[in-house]
Amino acid sequence: TPLTDREKKKVIRDMMMLVLARPPRSCNFLQWRDLKIVYKRWYASLYFCAGLEDKDNELLALEVLHRYVELLDKYFGNVCELDIIFNFEKAYFILDEFLMGGEILETSKLAVGVSMEEADTLQEEEKEQEEVGKTDKERFACGRGLRE
Amino acid sequence: MALPRMPAPIRLRELIRTIRTARTQAEEREMIQKECAAIRSSFREEDNTYRCRNVAKLLYMHMLGYPAHFGQLECLKLIASQKFTDKRIGYLGAMLLLDERQDVHLLMTNCIKNDLNHSTQYVQGLALCTLGCMGSSEMCRDLAGEVEKLLKTSNSYLRKKAALCAVHVIRKVPELMEMFLPATKNLLSEKNHGVLHTSVVLLTEMCERSPDMLAHFRKNEKLVPQLVRILKNLIMSGYSPEHDVSGISDPFLQVRILRLLRILGKGDDDSSEAMNDILAQVATNTETSKNVGNAILYETVLTIMDIKSESGLRVLAINILGRFLLNNDKNIRYVALTSLLKTVQTDHNAVQRHRSTIVDCLKDLDVSIKRRAMELSFALVNGNNIRGMMKELLYFLDSCDPEFKADCASGVFLAAEKYAPSKRWHIDTIMRVLTTAGSYVRDDSVPNLIQLITNSVEMHAYTVQRLYKALLDDISQQPLVQVASWCIGEYGDLLVSGQCEEEEPIQVTEDEVLDVLEGLLVSNLSTPVTRGYALTAIMKLSTRFTSVNRIKKVVSIYGSSIDVELQQRAVEYNALFKKYDHMRPALLERMPIMEKTASNGPTEIVQTNGEAEPSVVEAKHPPPVTQPTNQANDLLDLLGGNDVVPVIQTTVPTKPASAGGELLDLLGDLSLSGGPAPAPATSVPSSQPAFLLDGLTSPPLFNDIAAAGIPPMTAYNKNGLKIDFTFERANPNPNIAVITIHASNSTEADMTDFVFQAAVPKTFQLQLLSPSSNVVPTLNQGTVTQVIRVLNPQKQQLRMRIKLTYTHKGSAVQDLAEVNNFPPQSWQ
């Protein structure tokens, strides 16, 4: 069942409180309600958290977090926090090529990168066509563009 | 003539930059509001060109925590657009802003349907993704067919997404699981790892949800050999750059396969055998230097422990966990402790071997590790290691963080009750907990402890002395103070007369004792409950001490106390002094031993003896708090995950018969599973202790005993009442004879209020279960049956004295008899 916006906000607040309160050299797991929380600190002020069910493998979750950061790194080239902030939608898109519904979708680093590239290309081509189309509209009164 | 157009909405990145320049929350809010207004007008204009940009900005602001619901419909418009760029943002917006609680989401269904059949696979991917992340049950129902189609495509990009989308559909609408079955047929023959992984997830979901599916996959599809083959290839195959993680090939897939194997192998011999070799191989060959290898080992261990693996493999698994415990990496230590906790019930001895390492983890700096170590330590306590373990645990209790103290204290009490090597040790341990962690002890421990103390008759003097001394030191810890007050009230006479055998008796006068109790009454540190205890204690001492006048004075003062509870007590006690002084000694006399009612089950009742004396003294205890949800019981739950097996104490102090009456020894089965706390001592000050009835373990025992062919006998036959005994042997313990009595009545009137009691010589122990009824119907129309269990460790000749009471034709009948004619097989 989906959570209300208010509940979601509370979850985020709880996570922030819990994770930020952890002393520096603790283990990366903690218990919250009926979930196991796995968190990893990356770069000075960036934390990645995941909530696991009882049967999920915590050590593997650390690998999942690691893989996601690698994917970001590959895509943005030496990723930093600002990249994620200014390109949050891309971060989501990458996530959606890696995971779905809480499960791993693709285990190959390469494949995720390829999908992103091709999808981005599709976007680029679309934009180009639009630009081309616009210019033609301006030129020809009947407005028939070169759109295929 | 062109209408003046609004300026183009600012770009996403520019907005982000601008917002980040805000120095205060208020400034940020202002910027956001301004931009939202602009976006709203832009939406109103139905501007297709910039809709995408606007929604993207809205999503950013939503992430910062601002409301964005007015963008929901816009997302739908974006999804319906032909442009990929629009769809990408539109679907993202749908996933972030919409869910099944808004009716709006259903409008997506048609778009998704169309996009699932789009010519561009990335559009199809978007649709699958959105459906698979947030599709409602209705959407899933409508679109399941499309998903199923895509599951069969040869396009691996789509196939993997369809698989996980199917998982979501099944989670939302379990009845649809069947329709995906055909498509799963050759999923595992794919080479593509993405498809393989998601297929394993799908198969796992199906097997977990439906036992039929599970059976099907085991037998018909021969899933296990397929999985074993894939796993083997992963391990043996050479380096594959796109799947490699620190030298291991596709650990994600390996772990998922191991997990599915676990489900397939659980409870199934054939499957477990088929996977035995590969598990051994993974367990021994996996690189342990990095986290990724350990992740695989962890999953392997979990699988080995859950399936029907051979013992060599199990030992291998526990040893891996043992090595984990010594690993420098905290995460690995934590995971090891968690796993050991899961296996401690089934492989207890193997885990015991690592006990000292586990106990060392109590000293770890990490809070999560400490907690796990504590839980595991309690699980490992047994009769052999109790002294050593308790030392460590008490040390832990002294030094641990407050968040642990309550649970630790409860755990200590529980363990002490089960395995205390001696009464003195038990009392000392309780004292230690009360004095060091007294304020963290749970409220319901107080009645438990009191009950325990009353049971240790020979330790009363020692106990009261120690508690008194503790009070002199510190009256701030309420549970300690309450227990101490109660004991002083009960055993004050022992305290004053200096009777202690266990240690040097202290010299204390009656006045000193009363000083201390009065001190509790006036102290600010005492809670109202504590004050109640103190006042009652003082009152009880009026029959044990000689300074009655002082007590009378104290009691009358509190007759006008503001505290209603105290006032009531004082007034009642005053009345006792004034008008009912003749009753006072009887009312306040020493409490009889309280029996702990065995937990749960309608078959248990504490049957007090026949003398129908009214329940005179209601001990003024606080109402019993049901224990169940306390952490100690969670501990027990953690250990099993299955039903808790109660521990039957085999060495139980036989209670001496109190004044008068027969020898009645009891098998005091203190079953300690998570059950309700003992009922308040509705103490019938009868001369004989009550029977303990334990229905928990007995019934199953009876069912699976082969009747040992012991002939039945008639034990009693007089005045129309006939009692026959039939015999069985209790299976796990050959020293226990199980006797069922059958009482029948051949007279023309019913025998009502029928009570059967039995006593055995001192070398035996006896336990009486509840009777089928207490009316023996007339003219042999039925029998009353009751089960007796007799423990006969010395295999002496069984003798029994029985007492029967009943009402017949209006008058009470009572009779005693000896039963000596037991067949030799019943006690040899």
Side-chain angles (χ1 to χ4, degrees):
Chain A
T1 40
L3 302 174
T4 62
D5 260 353
R6 187 134 158 256
E7 287 166 337
K8 287 184 192 167
K9 287 205 176 112
K10 173 133 205 319
V11 172
I12 297 176
R13 266 204 316 273
D14 282 351
M15 283 302 109
M16 279 170 56
M17 261 171 27
L18 278 176
V19 172
L20 294 176
R22 295 281 281 182
R25 270 177 294 278
S26 353
C27 76
N28 299 77
F29 313 129
L30 51 92
Q31 194 78 21
W32 178 78
R33 300 196 190 167
D34 61 340
L35 295 176
K36 307 190 269 199
I37 306 293
V38 178
Y39 72 94
K40 193 92 207 281
R41 188 177 182 183
W42 233 281
Y43 315 118
S45 54
L46 193 55
Y47 289 83
F48 289 83
C49 313
L52 266 52
E53 292 175 322
D54 197 50
K55 45 196 172 150
D56 294 322
N57 184 327
E58 297 98 312
L59 298 180
L60 197 73
L62 285 173
E63 295 299 319
V64 171
L65 293 176
H66 191 95
R67 171 60 66 90
Y68 181 57
V69 174
E70 277 180 344
L71 292 171
L72 289 173
D73 196 49
K74 184 91 190 300
Y75 183 80
F76 289 108
N78 257 329
V79 68
C80 67
E81 285 161 55
L82 287 177
D83 289 323
I84 302 178
I85 295 173
F86 279 90
N87 299 284
F88 71 93
E89 83 276 15
K90 294 278 164 57
Y92 271 117
F93 296 150
I94 295 174
L95 191 64
D96 286 339
E97 293 299 319
F98 177 41
L99 305 172
M100 192 206 279
E103 305 284 355
I104 298 174
L105 177 59
E106 178 57 66
T107 59
S108 156
K109 296 179 255 198
L110 238 65
V112 175
V114 164
S115 309
M116 281 304 290
E117 238 184 88
E118 291 185 0
D120 286 346
T121 311
L122 211 63
Q123 244 185 275
E124 289 298 314
E125 285 174 354
E126 218 173 50
K127 233 187 266 173
E128 277 170 24
Q129 283 173 9
E130 272 176 35
E131 291 305 314
V132 171
K134 251 196 224 130
T135 327
D136 276 327
K137 239 200 209 139
E138 282 168 355
R139 265 188 270 151
F140 298 98
C142 60
R144 186 168 169 247
L146 280 172
R147 210 165 302 192
E148 265 103 5
Chain B
M1 193 164 63
L3 287 165
R5 301 193 73 199
M6 292 203 52
I10 65 172
R11 296 184 177 281
L12 170 65
R13 318 251 181 272
E14 211 180 300
L15 176 67
I16 298 176
R17 203 170 300 130
T18 313
I19 293 177
R20 283 169 63 78
T21 61
R23 278 160 299 168
T24 64
Q25 186 82 321
E27 221 182 306
E28 183 184 275
R29 218 174 309 136
E30 217 184 293
M31 290 179 187
I32 303 266
Q33 277 172 357
K34 190 155 155 254
E35 185 57 36
C36 277
I39 293 178
R40 274 188 152 110
S41 344
S42 190
F43 284 163
R44 273 197 294 272
E45 281 187 17
E46 296 283 339
D47 187 316
N48 289 337
T49 328
Y50 296 112
R51 182 177 288 123
C52 179
R53 184 186 291 182
N54 284 329
V55 171
K57 288 186 287 186
L58 202 55
L59 291 179
Y60 181 77
M61 296 189 286
H62 173 78
M63 262 178 17
L64 291 180
Y66 295 94
H69 43 271
F70 58 90
Q72 285 169 1
L73 259 172
E74 301 301 313
C75 293
L76 292 178
K77 292 182 196 164
L78 283 175
I79 291 173
S81 155
Q82 292 306 315
K83 299 204 294 208
F84 179 65
T85 315
D86 283 353
K87 286 185 190 284
R88 235 182 168 187
I89 294 289
Y91 276 117
L92 178 62
M95 286 193 271
L96 291 177
L97 299 179
L98 285 174
D99 58 53
E100 53 196 66
R101 281 170 298 115
Q102 288 99 9
D103 293 330
V104 162
H105 86 282
L106 285 169
L107 296 172
M108 271 198 294
T109 314
N110 216 31
C111 283
I112 295 186
K113 186 159 193 198
N114 291 335
D115 283 342
L116 284 175
N117 292 306
H118 203 274
S119 50
T120 312
Q121 71 175 20
Y122 291 107
V123 173
Q124 291 173 291
L126 286 176
L128 282 169
C129 182
T130 307
L131 181 61
C133 284
M134 52 76 75
S136 64
S137 328
E138 296 96 337
M139 284 167 72
C140 287
R141 258 185 247 272
D142 286 341
L143 300 168
E146 303 295 327
V147 175
E148 199 260 344
K149 250 186 357 202
L150 287 170
L151 195 50
K152 298 192 280 214
T153 174
S154 53
N155 179 332
S156 47
Y157 178 79
L158 291 175
R159 216 168 177 202
K160 70 187 187 198
K161 293 208 173 197
L164 285 188
C165 194
V167 170
H168 177 83
V169 168
I170 292 175
R171 284 178 183 163
K172 278 295 196 186
V173 191
E175 305 90 68
L176 291 174
M177 190 173 6
E178 293 278 337
M179 70 183 282
F180 292 108
L181 188 53
T184 64
K185 261 210 173 330
N186 42 19
L187 275 176
L188 290 184
S189 43
E190 265 267 8
K191 290 277 182 284
N192 179 294
H193 281 226
V195 177
L196 275 176
H197 187 279
T198 56
S199 305
V200 173
V201 174
L202 176 58
L203 292 168
T204 308
E205 188 71 28
M206 292 168 115
C207 289
E208 275 178 338
R209 280 188 182 264
S210 156
D212 289 334
M213 284 284 184
L214 179 58
H216 168 80
F217 281 119
R218 267 184 191 143
K219 306 239 163 25
N220 307 347
E221 301 290 341
K222 306 254 185 288
L223 207 47
V224 175
Q226 285 186 62
L227 292 169
V228 169
R229 182 180 44 85
I230 299 174
L231 192 50
K232 207 173 221 156
N233 283 339
L234 284 173
I235 302 173
M236 310 293 246
S237 69
Y239 177 74
S240 156
E242 65 176 296
H243 296 120
D244 179 87
V245 179
S246 302
I248 296 184
S249 191
D250 206 340
F252 304 109
L253 182 56
Q254 289 195 34
V255 166
R256 244 13 248 253
I257 291 179
L258 287 164
R259 196 159 133 182
L260 181 52
L261 284 175
R262 179 151 82 240
I263 297 170
L264 291 168
K266 187 165 187 167
D268 189 87
D269 288 320
D270 292 330
S271 302
S272 300
E273 207 189 307
M275 57 181 82
N276 199 74
D277 288 343
I278 192 72
L279 289 175
Q281 200 177 347
V282 175
T284 40
N285 290 341
T286 308
E287 229 348 279
T288 58
S289 53
K290 291 263 176 70
N291 180 62
V292 61
N294 288 319
I296 295 180
L297 276 178
Y298 177 37
E299 197 74 33
T300 312
V301 165
L302 290 178
T303 300
I304 293 176
M305 299 315 294
D306 239 14
I307 65 171
K308 301 199 143 198
S309 44
E310 44 177 62
S311 60
L313 203 54
R314 293 183 91 83
V315 170
L316 182 61
I318 302 236
N319 287 344
I320 291 177
L321 291 179
R323 278 206 305 276
F324 273 7
L325 275 181
L326 300 168
N327 196 305
N328 281 332
D329 187 334
K330 285 202 206 325
N331 296 329
I332 298 190
R333 291 209 297 279
Y334 177 87
V335 145
L337 287 170
T338 313
S339 316
L340 285 170
L341 200 53
K342 287 193 200 144
T343 63
V344 73
Q345 282 290 69
T346 47
D347 294 82
H348 192 90
N349 291 333
V351 180
Q352 280 281 3
R353 264 181 244 131
H354 300 280
R355 195 177 66 243
S356 50
T357 323
I358 292 169
V359 166
D360 280 341
C361 289
L362 284 173
K363 306 191 183 82
D364 200 299
L365 294 165
D366 186 289
V367 160
S368 315
I369 291 184
K370 270 204 275 236
R371 175 163 287 278
R372 286 282 185 256
M374 180 184 83
E375 289 165 351
L376 195 49
S377 300
F378 278 122
L380 289 176
V381 172
N382 63 25
N384 292 329
N385 58 35
I386 177 78
R387 283 189 196 266
M389 288 295 278
M390 202 50 85
K391 224 194 285 176
E392 296 284 348
L393 288 164
L394 286 173
Y395 180 74
F396 177 69
L397 181 63
D398 282 343
S399 52
C400 67
D401 300 325
E403 61 182 288
F404 288 116
K405 287 210 198 256
D407 297 332
C408 191
S410 299
V412 168
F413 286 146
L414 218 70
E417 247 183 283
K418 274 196 217 177
Y419 302 113
S422 76
K423 283 254 161 60
R424 162 93 190 249
W425 182 95
H426 197 170
I427 303 279
D428 284 341
T429 305
I430 294 175
M431 290 295 307
R432 174 88 181 267
V433 174
L434 285 178
T435 48
T436 55
S439 12
Y440 299 97
V441 161
R442 293 208 160 79
D443 291 336
D444 55 8
S445 317
V446 172
N448 283 348
L449 292 173
I450 288 176
Q451 184 252 318
L452 236 130
I453 292 172
T454 59
N455 278 340
S456 335
V457 175
E458 62 277 17
M459 302 295 298
H460 285 168
Y462 172 70
T463 311
V464 69
Q465 181 164 297
R466 284 212 61 185
L467 284 168
Y468 179 77
K469 285 201 270 191
L471 269 190
L472 293 176
D473 275 336
D474 172 18
I475 58 169
S476 64
Q477 302 192 88
Q478 298 305 295
L480 172 61
V481 173
Q482 287 166 11
V483 174
S485 315
W486 191 92
C487 285
I488 294 175
E490 273 297 301
Y491 312 122
D493 48 330
L494 298 175
L495 185 59
V496 170
S497 62
Q499 281 180 17
C500 185
E501 286 172 359
E502 299 283 337
E503 64 174 22
E504 185 70 30
I506 59 174
Q507 311 291 357
V508 59
T509 65
E510 291 184 3
D511 276 324
E512 284 169 333
V513 173
L514 289 171
D515 283 342
V516 169
L517 287 175
E518 281 188 52
L520 293 176
L521 278 173
V522 303
S523 164
N524 284 334
L525 296 166
S526 300
T527 63
V529 169
T530 307
R531 292 207 174 91
Y533 271 96
L535 189 60
T536 306
I538 292 176
M539 187 60 191
K540 285 192 208 167
L541 290 174
S542 70
T543 54
R544 293 161 176 71
F545 281 5
T546 53
S547 28
V548 180
N549 284 331
R550 177 173 174 181
I551 294 177
K552 267 198 210 168
K553 237 194 289 180
V554 172
V555 166
S556 61
I557 293 175
Y558 282 87
S560 44
S561 158
I562 307 176
D563 183 330
V564 175
E565 172 73 27
L566 270 180
Q567 194 191 100
Q568 180 177 355
R569 289 181 191 222
V571 164
E572 287 176 4
Y573 294 155
N574 250 334
L576 258 185
F577 273 126
K578 299 216 163 64
K579 288 198 263 176
Y580 300 100
D581 206 41
H582 56 283
M583 283 179 70
R584 192 165 44 90
L587 278 173
L588 299 175
E589 76 174 10
R590 185 84 92 230
M591 291 280 218
I593 299 169
M594 278 179 263
E595 297 304 336
K596 188 170 190 172
T597 48
S599 38
N600 55 13
T603 52
E604 296 122 33
I605 39 173
V606 176
Q607 188 179 24
T608 54
N609 293 352
E611 278 106 69
E613 257 172 66
S615 188
V616 180
V617 175
E618 179 86 52
K620 298 235 183 240
H621 286 167
V625 177
T626 38
Q627 234 174 18
T629 51
N630 77 17
Q631 207 67 3
N633 298 313
D634 293 340
L635 263 179
L636 293 172
D637 287 338
L638 267 178
L639 299 182
N642 36 357
D643 294 333
V644 176
V645 176
V647 171
I648 303 178
Q649 232 172 336
T650 46
T651 52
V652 163
T654 49
K655 293 165 200 28
S658 18
E662 294 92 352
L663 301 167
L664 289 167
D665 293 335
L666 290 174
L667 188 69
D669 270 349
L670 296 174
S671 304
L672 292 165
S673 46
T682 43
S683 45
V684 181
S686 48
S687 48
Q688 287 141 359
F691 289 135
L692 225 198
L693 302 169
D694 174 331
L696 256 180
T697 52
S698 328
L701 279 174
F702 300 151
N703 292 338
D704 58 14
I705 300 163
I710 306 172
M713 55 173 267
T714 302
Y716 177 91
N717 195 349
K718 221 159 107 177
N719 298 330
L721 175 62
K722 175 148 122 38
I723 301 199
D724 290 324
F725 283 4
T726 56
F727 299 90
E728 286 165 335
R729 277 241 170 265
N731 224 344
N733 187 344
N735 290 333
I736 295 183
V738 176
I739 306 172
T740 309
I741 69 150
H742 307 261
S744 55
N745 166 13
S746 60
T747 70
E748 333 84 59
D750 286 342
M751 296 173 177
T752 56
D753 301 314
F754 176 77
V755 174
F756 173 91
Q757 291 157 226
V760 287
K762 272 221 157 47
T763 54
F764 296 81
Q765 283 179 336
L766 178 135
Q767 179 189 22
L768 207 53
L769 275 72
S770 43
S772 58
S773 112
N774 60 359
V775 175
V776 192
T778 173
L779 296 172
N780 294 323
Q781 279 168 17
T783 59
V784 167
T785 54
Q786 194 166 3
V787 176
I788 312 174
R789 289 166 68 197
V790 181
L791 177 67
N792 184 6
Q794 294 179 23
K795 296 230 185 273
Q796 297 204 344
Q797 182 182 15
L798 183 54
R799 289 175 6 244
M800 197 184 276
R801 195 183 285 170
I802 62 177
K803 174 177 174 186
L804 309 155
T805 50
Y806 55 93
T807 306
H808 188 238
K809 295 183 182 165
S811 45
V813 180
Q814 187 178 296
D815 198 10
L816 295 165
E818 288 249 8
V819 184
N820 288 323
N821 52 334
F822 284 97
Q825 303 98 306
S826 65
W827 47 268
Q828 270 169 353

